Amino acid sequence: MIDNKITIKGDLVADIQRGAIGHRATWTGLTYTKAREAGKAEEVEKFIREAISETGLVQGTEIKSNCQNPESVKCFAETFLTSNVAKTFELEFKTKTEDRVDIEFHHCPLLKAWQDLGFDDATCEKLCDMAMDGDRGIAKAMGFEFHLGDTIAKGCKTCQVSFFKAGK
């Protein structure tokens, strides 16, 4: 059972960002589920993944250009995961070094949008993995590795995400 609770409430910026992220997730979720209803789930999943991956590459290139030290995973994290993003996703840094960043997300606005649409847990988990292709693309653009551990969409307490230099 998915438990995607919100503890940071009434923060204007986080609420606005959650709304925008949820709107984006609604588009993706409805595109996928409509394709699935039409018997084209695999074909459309491929397109969605390609588009999200490319979005991640674009975003990662922008983040890299804004990093004072693009070789530093810590600098990347501070550029990408601002205090507003931290509040929006209720994220917590477990590790933040020059070589590695391990993060736990306690809330996901994308998942909330899919839950609000009434999608079952398996659909939410599939959409979550597709959405993570953006983070995979960001890591690739930065020249870092990416690891996705537990996810809220799989019924875990948090999403565990790591960005790191190869071998670290």
Side-chain angles (χ1 to χ4, degrees), residues 11-12 30 39 47 52 56 69 86 90 98 102 104 107 122 124 138 153 156 159 163:
D11 182 284
L12 182 62
L30 290 174
F47 292 129
I52 292 172
N69 179 5
E90 302 193 15
E98 297 301 315
D102 298 303
E104 285 192 6
H107 172 71
C124 289
I138 290 169
C156 300
C159 294
F163 294 89

Side-chain angles (χ1 to χ4, degrees), residues 126-165:
K126 168 74 82 175
L127 290 166
C128 168
D129 191 64
M130 285 191 255
M132 295 311 297
D133 285 350
D135 294 281
R136 292 177 183 107
I138 290 169
K140 183 176 182 179
M142 291 297 303
F144 300 145
E145 300 293 319
F146 175 84
H147 178 262
L148 177 63
D150 290 347
T151 66
I152 299 167
K154 288 181 183 174
C156 300
K157 184 179 175 183
T158 62
C159 294
Q160 298 173 337
V161 174
S162 299
F163 294 89
F164 53 95
K165 292 181 182 178

Side-chain angles (χ1 to χ4, degrees), residues 112-133:
K112 179 168 184 339
W114 301 324
Q115 291 176 299
D116 289 350
L117 289 166
F119 294 165
D120 62 41
D121 290 359
T123 300
C124 289
E125 186 176 346
K126 168 74 82 175
L127 290 166
C128 168
D129 191 64
M130 285 191 255
M132 295 311 297
D133 285 350

